[in-house]
């Protein structure tokens, strides 16, 4: 550990200012905290070395690298005639900070001081404009790049591509890329990321296929892009190609692949990734998986219906974020383990809040309210909903009201649910009226369902209408209101709506099998329907009666 005695002993034995300067340089390479830097800075001043641009530039660099921009700014303000390198340090520091616009201010001061700019100046400035979404300023910097002749600098051009790509200007990014005399893999990756960001995965694939050289960032960008844009199968195919190409799998690629596994229910690959993390990162590299990677593992196991395995990952995490707590709460809620979900929420409030910035957010409350809804904890749900605003300062959103309406409707508190919808400060959407309609079906309240029908009529479009109208027809059918059933069915025909068929899937021997209601395309469909027929016969023999409330589903 750096100590003041070490600093003083070195200075005593140093011969002349040159010796002092060399000693301070060596200490700068081994500093380990802000206090050490401030001590070295003090010795620079005491030994009359403040005019030495090289040592001041080093100090400035280390202040910025350690995230102490205020100290760097104070040091910079006292400098006379800073060099281009020093200006670049301060521009770069602000470019990577929470105040990227200050890089532009520094550049303007640099120009006013007649300091000479270089390629690094424009590279760092463009990075700041990209991070801060400073479109006009970035375009002005592009103009300066053309004027000053740095348009053939590969680093400047790459930052120009990144600037345009981040701002949804992939066409401008491609124009810069096409005019580059020399391209690096970073340049290719910037264009690739631009296509992914704007959702043009076909364009991204064309760029990816043309790349003369790919690195882990190239592969990860494609895998993550597919996973984030709902193309999970393509994501996992690319992930398989990545493995076969023997590219080192980084944690970002693994998170993207786990997201796709969760979407497809690919438990086998998800478990392999978990094994890989344990064997490669933990056992070999002695590197703990990131919080984000652990969260992705929790989500994967939860999506595959394995709440216990999700909890094992959660329990082993040395650090937990709000997302970690929220993911495991939702995992239990989805499996109908409402009590366990609520217990976890209480543990989060008791032990987790304040640790690593953990506090429940809007999504946490959606998970907890869903847990209350599925297990019928009405009083707990009311209290938690009220605590959002009164305790945590969070204004309930439409989804929170939807959870409360669902909770109250399932529990039979239909009047309270209806009153909540009518008095809420937000405009109710079809999901809220649909949740109330679901409660009407459970509790056979066709009178309230008629009121809901009138409210829904103004909200529905043909893409949304099928499920609600089928539900409404079932309610009327149970109440033997056959004229209303006919009216609803005629309305569906007039609107041209059709209920989407039920769908499910299962993974057997590494193959994911999809099943759709009424489908005969599966190669084993005859055998499947034969088994289904036997199950139906057995149910009838045991006295099971068909549920009339769903009789219409297959007819519409």
């Amino acid at each position: 550990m750096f100590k003041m005695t070490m600093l003083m002993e070195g200075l005593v034995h140093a011969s002349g200012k040159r010796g002092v300067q060399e000693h301070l340089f060596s200490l700068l390479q081994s500093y380990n905290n802000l206090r050490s830097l401030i001590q070295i800075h003090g010795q620079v001043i005491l030994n009359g070395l403040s005019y030495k641009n090289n040592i001041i530039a080093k100090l400035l660099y280390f202040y910025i690298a350690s995230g102490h921009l205020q100290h760097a700014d104070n040091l910079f303000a006292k400098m006379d005639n800073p060099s281009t390198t020093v200006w670049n340090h301060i521009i770069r520091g602000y470019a990577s900070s929470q105040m990227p616009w200050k890089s532009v201010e520094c550049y303007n001061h640099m120009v006013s001081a007649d300091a000479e700019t270089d390629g690094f100046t424009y590279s760092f400035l463009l990075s700041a404009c990209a991070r801060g979404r400073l479109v006009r300023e970035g375009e002005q910097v592009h103009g300066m790049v053309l004027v000053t002749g740095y348009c053939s600098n590969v680093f400047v051009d790459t930052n120009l591509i990144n600037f345009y790509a981040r701002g949804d200007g992939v066409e401008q990014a491609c124009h810069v890329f096409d005019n580059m005399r020399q391209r690096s893999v970073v340049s290719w990756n910037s264009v690739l990321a631009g296509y992914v960001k704007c959702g043009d995965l076909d364009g991204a694939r064309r760029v990816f296929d043309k790349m003369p050289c790919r690195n882990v960032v190239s592969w990860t960008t494609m895998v993550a892009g597919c996973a984030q844009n709902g193309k999970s199968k393509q994501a996992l195919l690319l992930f398989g190609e990545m493995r076969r190409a023997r590219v080192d799998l980084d944690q970002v690629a693994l998170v993207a692949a786990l997201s796709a596994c969760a979407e497809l229910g690919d438990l086998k690959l998800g478990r392999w990734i978990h094994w890989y993390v344990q064997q490669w990162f933990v056992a070999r590299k002695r590197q703990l998986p990131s919080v984000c990677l652990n969260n992705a593992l929790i989500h994967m196991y939860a999506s595959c219906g394995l709440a216990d395995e999700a909890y094992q990952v959660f329990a082993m995490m040395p650090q937990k974020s709000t997302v970690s707590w929220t993911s495991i709460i939702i995992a239990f809620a989805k499996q109908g383990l409402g009590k366990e979900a609520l217990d976890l929420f209480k543990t989060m409030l008791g032990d987790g809040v304040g640790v690593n910035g953990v506090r429940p957010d809007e999504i946490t409350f959606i998970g907890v309210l869903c847990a209350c809804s599925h297990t019928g904890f009405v009083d707990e749900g009311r209290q938690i909903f009220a605590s959002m605003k009164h305790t945590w300062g969070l204004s309930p959103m439409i989804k929170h009201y939807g959870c409360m309406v669902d909770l109250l409707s399932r529990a039979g508190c239909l009047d309270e649910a209806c009153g909540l919808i009518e008095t809420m400060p937000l405009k109710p959407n079809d999901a809220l009226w649909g949740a109330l309609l679901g409660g009407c079906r459970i509790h056979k309240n066709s009178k309230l369902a008629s009121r809901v029908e009138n409210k829904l009529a103004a909200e529905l479009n043909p893409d949304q209408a099928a499920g609600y109208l089928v539900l409404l027809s079932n309610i009327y059918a149970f109440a033997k209101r056959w004229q209303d059933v006919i009216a609803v069915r005629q309305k569906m025909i007039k609107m041209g709506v059709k209920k989407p068929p039920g769908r499910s899937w299962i993974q057997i021997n590494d193959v994911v099998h999809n099943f759709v209601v009424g489908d005969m395309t599966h190669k084993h469909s005859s055998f499947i329907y034969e088994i289904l027929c036997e199950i139906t016969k057995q149910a009838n023999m045991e006295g099971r009666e068909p549920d009339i409330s769903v009789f219409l589903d297959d007819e519409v």
Side-chain angles (χ1 to χ4, degrees):
M1 186 176 177
F2 186 95
K3 294 182 179 179
M4 191 66 181
T5 53
M6 179 182 169
L7 173 64
M8 296 309 297
E9 285 175 7
L11 291 174
V12 168
H13 292 98
S15 177
K17 282 197 173 182
R18 184 176 180 83
V20 171
Q21 186 174 336
E22 289 175 354
H23 179 67
L24 291 174
F25 261 122
S26 68
L27 290 175
L28 276 172
Q29 304 300 328
S30 60
Y31 88 97
N32 56 13
N33 54 44
L34 177 61
R35 186 180 177 187
S36 305
L37 267 182
I38 293 173
Q39 288 175 354
I40 296 170
H41 189 179
Q43 290 302 316
V44 168
I45 296 170
L46 289 173
N47 285 277
L49 298 172
S50 297
Y51 67 94
K52 289 283 188 180
N53 248 356
N54 54 350
I55 197 167
I56 294 299
K58 271 289 185 197
L59 261 175
L60 195 72
Y61 171 81
F62 283 116
Y63 272 134
I64 291 168
S66 59
H68 298 101
L69 269 174
Q70 188 59 55
H71 289 281
D73 207 28
N74 293 338
L75 176 61
F76 178 77
K78 295 174 183 175
M79 294 180 69
D80 294 324
N81 193 26
S83 66
T84 299
T85 301
V86 170
W87 280 105
N88 288 345
H89 280 330
I90 201 73
I91 290 172
R92 184 182 191 180
Y94 279 118
S96 57
S97 74
Q98 299 299 315
M99 303 174 288
W101 62 87
K102 284 214 165 190
S103 292
V104 178
E105 293 179 8
C106 287
Y107 171 74
N108 291 334
H109 291 316
M110 184 181 184
V111 172
S112 299
D114 292 325
E116 186 178 348
T117 58
D118 61 14
F120 291 110
T121 310
Y122 296 114
S123 292
F124 301 147
L125 199 54
L126 285 165
S127 177
C129 292
R131 287 194 76 250
R133 299 188 180 277
L134 308 173
V135 178
R136 185 173 60 85
E137 290 85 349
E139 290 172 345
Q140 290 172 348
V141 174
H142 190 178
M144 289 302 301
V145 166
L146 295 172
V147 169
T148 53
Y150 284 103
C151 50
S152 58
N153 183 304
V154 66
F155 299 107
V156 174
D157 284 344
T158 299
N159 277 284
L160 266 172
I161 293 169
N162 192 43
F163 162 69
Y164 283 120
R166 279 199 182 188
D168 297 326
V170 72
E171 289 183 10
Q172 297 95 317
C174 286
H175 180 72
V176 175
F177 181 78
D178 290 340
N179 289 318
M180 288 180 72
R181 297 176 185 174
Q182 180 186 358
R183 296 166 183 162
S184 66
V185 68
V186 180
S187 311
W188 282 93
N189 286 342
S190 294
V191 175
L192 188 65
Y195 276 108
V196 168
K197 185 178 183 297
C198 69
D200 185 358
L201 293 181
D202 291 335
R205 184 72 208 212
R206 288 193 297 272
V207 172
F208 184 76
D209 290 340
K210 290 178 183 177
M211 291 182 72
C213 178
R214 301 170 186 147
N215 62 11
V216 65
V217 176
S218 319
W219 285 96
T220 300
T221 300
M222 281 301 298
V223 173
C226 289
Q228 291 162 6
N229 284 276
K231 298 184 179 292
S232 297
K233 285 186 178 179
Q234 291 91 322
L236 293 188
L237 286 172
L238 276 163
F239 184 71
E241 289 181 40
M242 186 179 181
R243 289 169 59 189
R244 287 189 292 275
R246 298 189 179 280
V247 180
D248 283 341
L249 303 175
D250 66 359
Q251 298 203 27
V252 180
L254 296 174
V255 168
L258 284 167
S259 173
C261 290
E263 181 69 24
L264 296 174
D266 194 334
L267 178 61
K268 183 172 182 179
L269 181 57
R271 277 187 166 144
W272 180 88
I273 292 172
H274 194 181
W275 171 86
Y276 181 86
V277 169
Q278 294 298 320
Q279 293 297 313
W280 184 252
F281 287 101
V282 179
R284 293 189 188 181
K285 289 188 175 182
R286 303 291 180 187
Q287 179 184 344
L288 290 174
S290 66
V291 173
C292 188
L293 181 53
N294 277 323
N295 290 344
L297 282 166
I298 293 170
H299 177 57
M300 183 275 297
Y301 280 124
S303 297
C304 292
L306 300 175
D308 288 343
E309 294 194 40
Y311 183 74
Q312 288 174 21
V313 175
F314 174 81
M316 293 297 292
M317 291 176 68
Q319 290 186 340
K320 300 176 178 71
S321 65
T322 297
V323 174
S324 312
W325 286 97
T326 300
S327 298
I328 194 63
I329 288 169
I330 291 175
F332 280 120
K334 281 185 175 180
Q335 295 301 312
L337 303 171
K339 183 179 182 304
E340 289 82 352
L342 281 176
D343 288 344
L344 274 167
F345 181 62
K346 291 172 185 175
T347 303
M348 177 187 183
L349 299 185
D351 302 334
V353 169
V355 180
N356 300 317
V358 169
R359 58 175 283 130
D361 61 12
E362 290 86 352
I363 301 174
T364 312
F365 280 102
I366 289 174
V368 179
L369 289 172
C370 282
C372 293
S373 178
H374 291 305
T375 46
F377 292 155
V378 179
D379 291 338
E380 291 86 345
R382 290 190 185 108
Q383 292 169 7
I384 290 167
F385 183 74
S387 75
M388 280 188 68
K389 189 168 187 178
H390 298 144
T391 305
W392 300 103
L394 298 172
S395 297
M397 300 184 298
I398 196 78
K399 287 188 177 180
H400 300 105
Y401 281 100
C403 291
M404 278 304 296
V405 170
D406 187 55
L407 167 63
L408 295 169
S409 299
R410 285 172 182 263
C413 306
L414 297 176
D415 290 338
E416 185 180 348
C418 192
L420 181 62
I421 294 176
E422 291 173 344
T423 58
M424 61 188 278
L426 304 171
K427 181 184 177 182
N429 61 11
D430 60 287
L432 268 74
W433 292 115
L436 183 58
L437 200 60
C440 293
R441 182 187 69 82
I442 294 170
H443 300 284
K444 305 174 180 57
N445 190 328
S446 61
K447 184 177 179 181
L448 181 57
S450 298
R451 287 174 55 193
V452 174
E453 180 183 7
N454 296 330
K455 299 288 186 180
L456 267 174
E459 300 289 337
L460 290 180
N461 60 54
D463 294 332
Q464 301 170 317
Y468 297 123
L469 292 176
V470 167
L471 183 59
L472 185 63
S473 182
N474 292 337
I475 294 169
Y476 288 150
F478 195 91
K480 294 182 172 53
R481 292 171 55 173
W482 304 115
Q483 286 300 117
D484 290 319
V485 172
I486 292 169
V488 171
R489 294 183 69 176
Q490 287 176 340
K491 181 183 290 187
M492 293 181 72
I493 294 168
K494 185 177 179 181
M495 293 176 69
V497 301
K498 188 171 183 178
K499 186 178 183 294
R503 181 182 297 272
S504 63
W505 63 87
I506 188 171
Q507 185 179 16
I508 303 172
N509 296 329
D510 302 341
V511 178
V512 177
H513 298 267
N514 287 287
F515 300 96
V516 182
V517 171
D519 181 31
M520 294 296 294
T521 59
H522 194 281
K523 62 181 180 179
H524 298 304
S525 59
S526 298
F527 179 67
I528 292 169
Y529 281 106
E530 186 180 328
I531 295 296
L532 185 60
C533 184
E534 288 297 322
I535 293 172
T536 305
K537 286 180 181 177
Q538 188 174 341
N540 290 335
M541 288 173 63
E542 292 179 4
R544 306 283 181 181
E545 293 184 3
D547 186 355
I548 192 174
S549 67
V550 295
F551 87 100
L552 187 62
D553 287 9
D554 294 333
E555 299 181 17
V556 179

